[in-house]
Amino acid sequence: MKTGQIIKSLSGVYRVEVDGEQFDAKPRGLFRKKQITPVVGDIVDIDFETHAEGYIQHVHTRKNELKRPPVSNIDVLVIVMSAVEPDFSTQLLDRFLVIAHSYHLSPRIVITKKDLTNETQRAEIERLLAVYQRIGYDTQFVGKEDDAQAIFNEWQPGIAVLSGQSGVGKSTLLNSYCPELALETNSISQSLNRGRHTTRHVELYPRANGYIADTPGFSALDFDHIDKQDLDDYFIEISEASEQCKFRDCSHTNEPKCHVKAMVEAGEIADFRYQHYEQLLQEISNRKVRY
């Protein structure tokens, strides 16, 4: 029995790295009966039928997990947005951040395609990123001229997952960091202002202080697992301000003596962030119950 980490999953076969060696393994038949599905990032125990192939006998407890795409034991979720093509959207960024926090992940923000922006566009994105920096997020605004090694080396050690909508440059970033991967990239659909999916499976690639995962791009974000009373926990500055609200269950909408709304009016909480909170709260409140 050996212990290793799943670094690739494709068609029911898992590539497991054990002490620098890689092996293909399949899960035990019992896993299906127990509804256990190994995912990339899992620490697993494997038994070998041959030197090259084995069976996964046990999946260790995960410290966190992203459901879509399925990756576990993530140390940093790198939310990749583009400055243009598709255009930068704080609303979309905030939705990604909410998803990240709801899964107990540590997000960082990377904005790509700086080289395609003009001076006015750059200034506006830097102004918006300053808002996120004040909240406490690590941010990077990068272009083709930036060294990919330097970009990646700023990220926390361990498993870093690249996430974001299609066409923002996730695979391009990976290609510039590790050219031998030659990952497929595609052009942007002008009518939809988004890219076509080019990554079709989840795989971990080695980096200086851990692994990096390229993941299929998101076309939709699912908030079904989030309760409306928990939403303010996923907006850092709203969560901090809510401790001084008069009512413990304050929704920060119509209640009197709401400290969050007072902070928004004073300019201490960005108005656009509060609007995105309100929109998501309404969306979750209007959600139909699934049976």
Side-chain angles (χ1 to χ4, degrees):
M1 188 92 70
K2 292 188 176 184
T3 300
Q5 188 163 37
I6 296 175
I7 62 170
K8 183 178 180 179
S9 166
L10 195 60
S11 302
V13 178
Y14 297 88
R15 181 69 49 85
V16 182
E17 185 163 297
V18 181
D19 298 328
E21 290 188 88
Q22 294 183 8
F23 305 91
D24 287 336
K26 294 181 179 180
R28 293 174 57 200
L30 188 63
F31 280 18
R32 182 177 295 178
K33 196 173 290 185
K34 291 185 175 181
Q35 295 185 318
I36 299 172
T37 303
V39 300
V40 168
D42 276 346
I43 305 297
V44 296
D45 297 330
I46 57 175
D47 263 343
F48 292 94
E49 276 199 346
T50 68
H51 176 71
E53 296 183 348
Y55 278 89
I56 298 173
Q57 300 292 336
H58 175 68
V59 177
H60 291 233
T61 302
R62 298 161 181 159
K63 69 178 181 182
N64 57 37
E65 180 184 0
L66 193 59
K67 299 289 186 184
R68 289 171 49 190
V71 191
S72 70
N73 300 315
I74 300 163
D75 295 287
V76 56
L77 183 73
V78 183
I79 299 173
V80 184
M81 307 284 292
S82 59
V84 291
E85 298 179 11
D87 293 337
F88 178 56
S89 164
T90 56
Q91 183 182 39
L92 185 59
L93 173 56
D94 285 341
R95 293 170 79 88
F96 276 114
L97 290 171
V98 166
I99 292 288
H101 289 300
S102 73
Y103 286 121
H104 311 290
L105 304 174
S106 299
R108 98 159 16 240
I109 301 163
V110 174
I111 311 298
T112 63
K113 305 184 185 180
K114 185 177 182 178
D115 51 295
L116 300 183
T117 60
N118 58 40
E119 191 174 334
T120 302
Q121 290 169 322
R122 282 195 297 275
E124 176 61 8
I125 288 173
E126 286 166 356
R127 182 187 71 80
L128 291 169
L129 285 182
V131 173
Y132 291 94
Q133 290 162 3
R134 286 196 297 273
I135 296 168
Y137 291 108
D138 291 324
T139 70
Q140 292 167 284
F141 188 15
V142 302
K144 280 186 177 178
E145 70 281 0
D146 291 291
D147 177 31
Q149 296 282 341
I151 295 169
F152 279 51
N153 289 342
E154 277 195 33
W155 303 347
Q156 293 93 318
I159 294 179
V161 173
L162 288 180
S163 191
Q165 69 181 138
S166 298
V168 296
K170 300 188 302 296
S171 294
T172 300
L173 261 181
L174 266 175
N175 281 338
S176 53
Y177 178 72
C178 193
E180 61 268 26
L181 295 176
L183 297 171
E184 180 188 355
T185 60
N186 266 337
S187 59
I188 301 297
S189 165
Q190 295 299 327
S191 60
L192 296 176
N193 193 35
R194 68 187 186 197
R196 303 176 182 87
H197 297 302
T198 54
T199 306
R200 298 178 179 84
H201 65 277
V202 182
E203 183 170 356
L204 299 183
Y205 303 105
R207 63 184 180 113
N209 50 0
Y211 293 101
I212 182 74
D214 186 24
T215 66
F218 290 87
S219 58
L221 291 171
D222 188 355
F223 297 90
D224 284 356
H225 64 292
I226 297 176
D227 294 325
K228 64 179 182 179
Q229 62 267 26
D230 296 329
L231 181 62
D232 62 355
D233 290 338
Y234 308 138
F235 284 80
I236 296 174
E237 71 279 42
I238 292 177
S239 179
E240 291 174 354
S242 68
E243 295 177 9
Q244 297 184 52
C245 289
K246 181 178 180 180
F247 300 102
R248 180 169 292 183
D249 60 349
C250 185
S251 68
H252 322 303
T253 53
N254 302 311
E255 297 88 346
K257 297 186 178 180
C258 171
H259 189 64
V260 169
K261 291 181 73 174
M263 294 279 278
V264 174
E265 289 170 9
E268 296 295 322
I269 290 177
D271 188 61
F272 73 84
R273 286 271 294 170
Y274 176 71
Q275 287 179 22
H276 297 162
Y277 164 79
E278 278 192 311
Q279 290 164 2
L280 260 179
L281 185 66
Q282 191 67 39
E283 188 176 316
I284 292 170
S285 299
N286 294 339
R287 180 173 62 200
K288 292 181 179 179
V289 178
R290 291 185 180 179
Y291 296 98

